[in-house]
Amino acid sequence: DEDPKRVDDRIGQCVESTLADAFRQHGIEPSAVSKRYGNLECDLVIESSKTVLLIETKKKPLTRQSHAGKPLTAFFDLVGGMLASQLQLGGHELELLRHGQITFDDGTLVELKGRGIARLAVTLLDWGGTQDRTVIRQVAGLLVGSQLSSPSLLVQDQEQLKKTNKVLVKLQNQLSELQTAGKSAREPFSNWWFLSVPQLL
């Protein structure tokens, strides 16, 4: 049996290359595809005259319990899919705001040059209404910086809740860093996007 992580990595590479090829077919050459700098890896960078688009791909699908209508599982899936991806994308945004550029390990250079930054988390399959931008902003606005608790949860759900709270705290800290680095305090989630591969294609 093959290591699940290796399978997951291969799926991720296929998604990234598929998206990169789709952009190329529309005359858009990605500036970076699966490139590392320091301890971070950026899945895709697309540049226009006005915007640097940072893309993070997530293979994780909605679980069967979420599809079956279990709200708590759907919530954990949303945090693990959209919010965790946005946390990774925020690291790249910070690098651009602080240093004006990202220099990848292979020498590839992406410079901000006064442009805006957009952050796009992409899932392999559709996640329904959670990929609506209005929903994303409302969810992020309610959750980021919050600490959630429920003593009646099962042990495994309590562990998931701890992981969720860690992501929410990190996002709040990152938001403060972004504002210090020069991002406007108004509408902090206005450059967040959450789409599936079929939606993006």
Side-chain angles (χ1 to χ4, degrees):
D1 290 336
E2 191 167 359
D3 179 4
K5 186 179 184 310
R6 288 184 62 191
V7 173
D8 194 54
D9 288 344
R10 287 221 311 270
I11 293 172
Q13 289 163 5
C14 288
V15 172
E16 291 156 21
S17 62
T18 297
L19 293 180
D21 288 343
F23 278 111
R24 290 186 186 107
Q25 287 170 15
H26 286 80
I28 303 167
E29 182 62 37
S31 301
V33 181
S34 302
K35 291 188 183 292
R36 298 190 64 85
Y37 64 100
N39 296 320
L40 299 176
E41 180 175 345
C42 197
D43 290 346
L44 274 170
V45 180
I46 303 294
E47 296 182 74
S48 74
S49 59
K50 295 182 179 179
T51 307
V52 177
L53 173 60
L54 306 169
I55 301 176
E56 174 70 24
T57 60
K58 278 287 177 189
K59 287 77 66 183
K60 185 181 186 302
L62 277 176
T63 59
R64 289 179 183 176
Q65 288 179 317
S66 293
H67 283 295
K70 186 177 178 184
L72 186 60
T73 306
F75 171 72
F76 289 146
D77 283 350
L78 181 62
V79 172
M82 188 265 283
L83 293 181
S85 294
Q86 287 295 341
L87 181 61
Q88 291 174 274
L89 290 165
H92 307 319
E93 184 176 11
L94 265 174
E95 182 76 10
L96 282 169
L97 289 174
R98 284 174 173 163
H99 305 291
Q101 63 186 42
I102 294 176
T103 305
F104 292 96
D105 293 347
D106 68 352
T108 299
L109 181 66
V110 173
E111 296 180 279
L112 187 55
K113 296 180 180 178
R115 293 176 291 181
I117 300 171
R119 294 159 47 169
L120 171 59
V122 180
T123 55
L124 184 57
L125 303 174
D126 288 337
W127 281 40
T130 61
Q131 291 179 311
D132 180 89
R133 288 197 76 206
T134 303
V135 172
I136 294 167
R137 284 166 143 180
Q138 290 177 341
V139 168
L142 285 169
L143 292 178
V144 172
S146 301
Q147 283 295 278
L148 310 174
S149 64
S150 177
S152 61
L153 291 180
L154 299 173
V155 174
Q156 63 267 30
D157 289 335
Q158 288 286 3
E159 287 304 309
Q160 278 291 103
L161 193 60
K162 285 181 185 177
K163 291 178 183 177
T164 295
N165 281 330
K166 284 182 181 178
V167 170
L168 297 178
V169 168
K170 287 179 179 178
L171 279 167
Q172 179 60 42
N173 292 339
Q174 189 180 79
L175 185 60
S176 299
E177 291 181 75
L178 285 166
Q179 289 168 356
T180 301
K183 183 174 180 178
S184 171
R186 289 192 293 172
E187 301 230 26
F189 313 112
S190 60
N191 68 337
W192 288 25
W193 296 78
F194 185 44
L195 298 172
S196 66
V197 169
Q199 287 172 323
L200 184 55
L201 293 177

